[in-house]
Amino acid sequence: MKALVARGYGGVELLELTDVPVLVPGPGQIQVRIAAAGLNPADLRLVSGVFREAAPLTFPHVLRGDFAGTVTRTGEGVERFAPGDEIFGFGLVRSAGSMASVAAMPPSFTTGTMAEYALFEADTPALAHLPAGLAAGQAAALPTAALTALPLLRAWDFTAGTKVLVIGAAGGVGGAVVPLLAARGVHVIATAIPADEGYVRGLGAAEVIDYRSVEVTDETLRRHPEGVDALVNLALPGTSLPAAARAVRPGGRLLNIAFPGPGPDSGFETVYTKARPGDLEEVGALAVKGVLPDTVTRRYDLDEGVRAYTDLAHEHVRGKLLVTVSAG
C-alpha cells in the first residue's frame, strides 16, 4: 500500500511517499481503510526528534494524523466495531506510551494514518462511529482540534458575557475553540491577520485584533481597560506569554495549549488533548448540528502528502489541511 513516511528524524525534506506492507490486525485491533487524514503540527514535531526520548520512532515511520475511514478487518475479541463500519478519530505511535495514555484512556495507538490502511486499538475513546450526516473529510479534521477545545472549555467556567482573548484563532484548534465559546455566549476577542478576519468572525469572534499591526496586549487593554476574563493561547511560545497575561483582569484565567509551554511559575495552565468516553461522539453530534463547522481550507491527494506537510511547515495556514486517501 502507499504511505507517507519519514526516512529519519528531521524536517519535511525527509518525507516521501512509498510502499509499505498492509498489516493484519491482532487481538483487540481493527484494520481501517483510510478515507481522509487531517494534518496537525504535532505530526511534524514528532518526526523532528524533539520527543525522541519520550516517543522514539522506528523508521521508515508512517505519519500519524486525525482520520476518517471504514473498518475492513477486526482482530480477535473486537466487539465494538465490525467490517463496514465508518469511523473517525486519532491515534499515536505505540512508542508514545505515556503521551498516548494522557490523550486517551485506554490509550489510542495506530500504525500511521497517512496511508491507505492503518491499524488501531479498538477499545479507546479516541475512536467513534461516524454519525449520519457528517462527511468523512470534515470528520477527519475534527479530533485533535475538538478534543483540545473540550478540555479547554472544561478548565474554567466560560459563561455568557465572559470576555475571552483567543490568541491564534485562525489555526486548526481555533476552528473548534472559537465556535464552542461563541455557542456559550462568550464574547470572543480573536487575534488574526486581516485576510483571516472574515473567517474568524464566521467562527463566532465578536472582535478581531490584527497582531501584525498592533501590540495585542496594549490593544486589548485599550478596548477593555478592565482587562479580559480569560486568555486562551493557541499559538504563542511560552516565553511570550508573561507579557500577554497583562491583558487579563485580576483573578482571571490563563490557559495554554501551545508548544513549548510556559514555565511552572507563569500562572498559565497548559491543557492537553484528551479523549474521555463519549467525547468524540459529542464532537460528531456538534458537527452535525453545525456548532462545529467544517474548517478544512486546503485538500490534497495522498500523492501530494509531502507538499501538504511542506505547506503546513512553511506557509500561513488558516483552518485545517486535509489529505484525501484512495485505497487500492
Side-chain angles (χ1 to χ4, degrees), residues 40-235:
N40 293 293
D43 307 342
L44 293 177
R45 285 199 291 271
L46 189 64
V47 299
S48 74
V50 69
F51 297 127
R52 72 172 69 192
E53 291 187 7
L57 303 181
T58 300
F59 298 101
H61 164 74
V62 180
L63 274 75
R64 63 156 295 278
D66 300 341
F67 81 97
T70 304
V71 176
T72 44
R73 298 180 68 174
T74 61
E76 181 182 354
V78 173
E79 298 180 355
R80 185 180 175 203
F81 300 111
D85 286 354
E86 294 184 323
I87 68 172
F88 73 116
F90 76 90
L92 297 177
V93 294
R94 186 167 295 279
S95 62
S98 61
M99 295 171 62
S101 297
V102 169
M105 183 53 73
S108 179
F109 297 117
T110 181
T111 54
T113 57
M114 291 293 168
E116 291 177 320
Y117 291 88
L119 298 185
F120 297 88
E121 308 300 321
D123 186 20
T124 170
L127 302 181
H129 287 90
L130 186 72
L134 181 59
Q138 181 180 355
L142 280 171
T144 293
L147 294 174
T148 305
L150 289 181
L152 276 169
L153 267 68
R154 290 169 178 153
W156 195 59
D157 187 19
F158 291 96
T159 55
T162 303
K163 295 178 182 177
V164 179
L165 174 63
V166 178
I167 296 177
V173 177
V177 169
V178 174
L180 289 177
L181 287 174
R184 293 190 176 190
V186 170
H187 182 95
V188 177
I189 306 153
T191 70
I193 63 174
D196 292 339
E197 178 169 354
Y199 172 77
V200 296
R201 287 190 181 276
L203 295 175
E207 300 181 47
V208 179
I209 296 176
D210 175 10
Y211 62 88
R212 290 184 177 176
S213 65
V214 297
E215 203 286 320
V216 171
T217 303
D218 291 342
E219 178 62 14
T220 302
L221 291 172
R222 185 189 69 80
R223 300 184 186 188
H224 304 279
E226 73 286 359
V228 296
D229 298 297
L231 186 156
V232 175
N233 176 54
L234 310 178

Side-chain angles (χ1 to χ4, degrees), residues 3-5 12 15-17 37 39 44 63 114 299-312 321-325:
L4 183 65
V5 308
V12 292
L15 304 184
E16 66 177 7
L17 187 70
L39 280 66
L44 293 177
L63 274 75
M114 291 293 168
R299 288 173 167 81
Y300 308 79
D301 293 331
L302 183 57
D303 290 346
E304 302 172 304
V306 175
R307 182 163 69 87
Y309 274 104
T310 301
D311 290 349
L312 179 66
L321 306 187
L322 185 78
V323 167
T324 301
V325 182

